[in-house]
Amino acid sequence: MEALEQITEFKSSPDLLEKLYQNSIIKEYGSGTVILNENASVRSIPIVVKGTLKVIRTEEDGREILLYYIKSGESCIMSFLGGLHNETSKVKAEVEDDAEILFLPVDKVSLFIKEYPQWLDYIFRLYHKRF
């Protein structure tokens, strides 16, 4: 879990890091595994502990467009947005390199925003990086 402990926002709040571990499920996936499909319900937010994910959007003509990669210590801003607004996913997330992923339930995302300013800083940093 060293990757998460190196995140600036989490370093400044060991309590937040502990809550992440307590409230999340950690799973391992092999390359090529789809962890989120387009139009699927967003029930948890993936935070990559190890490995890489790629985030893809499918155009109306069936072409897939690579939007971005999610590396160790990062998360999918599209999942945050979909989960917070109770919308279905507009993207597909696929494991590029074997990955270990922490899944935080969506209901905890809003709670953490209220309790930990560092969590909101983390989300904004991800948003800024992607857009």
Side-chain angles (χ1 to χ4, degrees):
M1 294 299 181
E2 289 178 23
L4 298 186
E5 293 164 0
Q6 299 307 311
I7 297 170
T8 303
E9 293 86 357
F10 299 164
K11 278 184 185 179
S12 64
S13 181
D15 188 42
L16 170 58
L17 189 59
E18 182 62 31
K19 290 277 186 171
L20 280 172
Y21 291 140
Q22 288 174 356
N23 291 281
S24 300
I25 296 172
I26 298 173
K27 294 183 179 181
E28 293 184 12
Y29 296 94
S31 178
T33 305
V34 175
I35 64 160
L36 180 65
N37 277 303
E38 290 174 296
N39 300 314
S41 180
V42 179
R43 297 172 192 225
S44 61
I45 306 303
I47 301 174
V48 177
V49 176
K50 183 172 43 174
T52 307
L53 300 179
K54 61 182 175 180
V55 178
I56 303 161
R57 183 185 76 214
T58 304
E59 293 291 302
E60 288 180 17
D61 63 5
R63 290 181 302 131
E64 289 187 338
I65 298 186
L66 175 66
L67 297 178
Y68 54 86
Y69 289 98
I70 304 171
K71 298 177 182 172
S72 182
E74 298 177 343
S75 185
C76 179
I77 194 62
M78 295 299 287
S79 294
F80 274 105
L81 296 172
L84 287 172
H85 296 286
N86 200 26
E87 297 175 348
T88 59
S89 177
K90 294 177 178 35
V91 296
K92 175 172 82 171
E94 183 178 320
V95 177
E96 177 80 2
D97 300 317
D98 291 354
E100 185 176 330
I101 304 169
L102 182 143
F103 290 94
L104 179 68
V106 170
D107 64 322
K108 298 298 181 189
V109 172
S110 297
L111 181 65
F112 287 3
I113 287 172
K114 293 173 187 167
E115 290 184 19
Y116 301 100
Q118 301 89 343
W119 180 244
L120 189 57
D121 289 345
Y122 175 71
I123 295 170
F124 280 137
R125 185 174 54 79
L126 291 170
Y127 185 83
H128 179 73
K129 183 176 184 175
R130 301 299 176 212
F131 298 103

